[in-house]
């Protein structure tokens, strides 16, 4: 089983375990988002799944998994075969945030995030760190279903060489469930 699949399974079990506690009604958020990330002046697609729990009235703690597919226009020839320069980045991170309440439908938030993952491409892999800040909002269409829009900035930094990094602004939109 791949590490990303294991993380999704743990995320699901963690969310079910927290919701089974019953300490606070409607304290959980689960999102599925798609978006774009700017990597080295090229826009690349990203997918994200996240779970957040509200603590008290406004503090958020969460777990997220993100996948970015980076496609380059260059091709590499090896042994007479052309391979496209495709790289994937899969990360999992913890986030801490603060949620504001504006009326009953709007809930903007700010969060700090940090975690790690793997970059793979050209038959090799490298471990990396991801950390950053995000600013977003949830717009509730019903009591439990909402749209989520987030603008964030992340830095991806290689673990082996902390001088190799890239800053990557992201914009994503998704749908979520509040329970």
């Amino acid at each position: 089983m791949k590490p990303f699949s294991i993380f999704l399974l743990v995320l699901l079990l963690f969310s079910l375990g927290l919701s089974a506690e019953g300490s606070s009604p409607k304290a959980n958020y689960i999102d599925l988002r798609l978006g774009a990330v700017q990597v080295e002046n090229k826009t690349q697609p990203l997918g994200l799944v996240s779970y957040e729990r509200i603590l008290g009235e406004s503090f958020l703690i969460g777990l997220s998994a993100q996948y970015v597919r980076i496609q380059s226009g260059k091709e590499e020839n090896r042994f007479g075969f052309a391979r496209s320069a495709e790289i994937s980045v899969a990360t999992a991170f913890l986030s801490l945030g603060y949620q504001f309440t504006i009326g009953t439908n709007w809930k903007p938030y700010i969060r700090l995030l940090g975690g790690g993952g793997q970059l793979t491409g050209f038959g090799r892999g490298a471990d990396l760190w991801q950390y950053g800040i995000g600013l977003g909002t949830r717009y509730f269409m019903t009591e439990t279903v909402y749209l989520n829009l987030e603008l964030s900035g992340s830095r991806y930094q290689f673990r082996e060489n902390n001088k190799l990094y890239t800053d990557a602004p992201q914009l994503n939109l998704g749908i979520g469930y509040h329970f």
Side-chain angles (χ1 to χ4, degrees):
M1 194 176 232
K2 292 186 178 182
F4 191 71
S5 301
I6 292 170
F7 176 77
L8 290 178
L9 181 62
V10 168
L11 180 66
L12 178 64
L13 293 174
F14 181 70
S15 67
L16 292 175
L18 285 178
S19 65
E21 290 176 8
S23 63
S24 169
K26 297 227 181 239
N28 304 291
Y29 298 98
I30 192 155
D31 299 343
L32 179 59
R33 293 181 258 162
L34 298 174
V37 59
Q38 189 83 21
V39 178
E40 297 176 0
N41 297 323
K42 287 189 75 178
T43 303
Q44 307 293 343
L46 76 87
L48 183 124
V49 62
S50 72
Y51 168 80
E52 286 187 313
R53 180 157 176 92
I54 191 159
L55 305 172
E57 294 293 317
S58 300
F59 292 99
L60 297 167
I61 186 167
L63 296 170
S64 298
Q66 179 175 287
Y67 179 79
V68 178
R69 183 177 166 264
I70 301 170
Q71 181 69 39
S72 174
K74 299 177 185 176
E75 291 194 354
E76 182 179 285
N77 286 316
R78 289 215 176 147
F79 304 109
F81 295 99
R83 293 187 343 184
S84 68
E86 184 176 310
I87 299 169
S88 64
V89 178
T91 58
F93 52 87
L94 176 68
S95 64
L96 300 172
Y98 186 83
Q99 177 174 274
F100 306 91
T101 301
I102 301 176
T104 57
N105 292 349
W106 290 99
K107 295 190 185 222
Y109 60 88
I110 187 166
R111 66 186 180 123
L112 298 173
L113 58 99
Q118 179 102 29
L119 179 139
T120 56
F122 298 116
R124 296 180 300 201
D127 293 331
L128 53 87
W129 297 111
Q130 177 186 5
Y131 50 93
I133 188 168
L135 179 63
T137 189
R138 292 180 175 97
Y139 176 74
F140 283 82
M141 298 180 299
T142 69
E143 192 175 303
T144 57
V145 177
Y146 59 88
L147 293 176
N148 187 315
L149 177 67
E150 182 175 289
L151 175 63
S152 62
S154 288
R155 174 169 280 185
Y156 296 96
Q157 183 172 338
F158 288 94
R159 289 187 195 174
E160 299 84 35
N161 183 353
N162 62 4
K163 293 178 182 158
L164 290 175
Y165 64 86
T166 187
D167 294 326
Q170 303 176 11
L171 179 64
N172 55 62
L173 176 66
I175 192 161
Y177 183 68
H178 182 47
F179 58 99

